[in-house]
Amino acid sequence: MITPYPIGAIAVLNSLYDHSVPHYYYPTVIYGESSHGGKVVENTLYIEPVKLEEGHLITKLSVSRNVYAETSVGDEVCIVSRSGALGMSWYEVASVAGCKNSQKILL
């Protein structure tokens, strides 16, 4: 039962100390759905397939409530991919407007 905590700490450290150059991807949203499981709401965007530099193929994204609300079918979303401080690649998703604002900080 205690094993998930060190794994979570490694993931946080991997992203927190990551100073790698970000790669930006702008796939188009094909479909979106929001499912409610009690108090938990999962917002999912289905996108045109995009292959990240690390070779991961992504066709759907779990996104925040804000990104889901700001994005419609046919819009693009922004995926920011990084290699990770500990060599474990990771990515985050933002609306295109949110991504353009954050690029000023990331670059």
Side-chain angles (χ1 to χ4, degrees):
M1 180 158 176
I2 204 159
T3 303
Y5 295 108
I7 292 171
I10 290 170
V12 169
L13 291 173
N14 184 58
S15 62
L16 187 62
Y17 291 104
D18 185 3
H19 300 293
S20 64
V21 176
H23 293 94
Y24 297 92
Y25 303 87
Y26 298 95
T28 302
V29 174
I30 299 169
Y31 175 72
E33 70 179 3
S34 183
S35 60
H36 303 272
K39 293 184 180 184
V40 177
V41 177
E42 185 173 341
N43 299 306
T44 305
L45 295 176
Y46 294 87
I47 58 171
E48 65 184 9
V50 62
K51 192 171 198 174
L52 301 182
E53 194 164 292
E54 300 82 23
H56 302 301
L57 181 67
I58 299 174
T59 58
K60 73 177 187 176
L61 303 165
S62 293
V63 297
S64 69
R65 180 178 21 165
N66 292 342
V67 171
Y68 187 81
E70 294 172 3
T71 309
S72 300
V73 172
D75 289 350
E76 291 180 329
V77 290
C78 177
I79 301 173
V80 182
S81 174
R82 293 177 168 260
S83 60
L86 303 174
M88 297 179 291
S89 62
W90 61 282
Y91 65 88
E92 59 187 336
V93 181
S95 65
V96 171
C99 191
K100 288 182 179 173
N101 291 336
S102 68
Q103 282 185 29
K104 294 175 187 170
I105 298 167
L106 294 173
L107 297 176

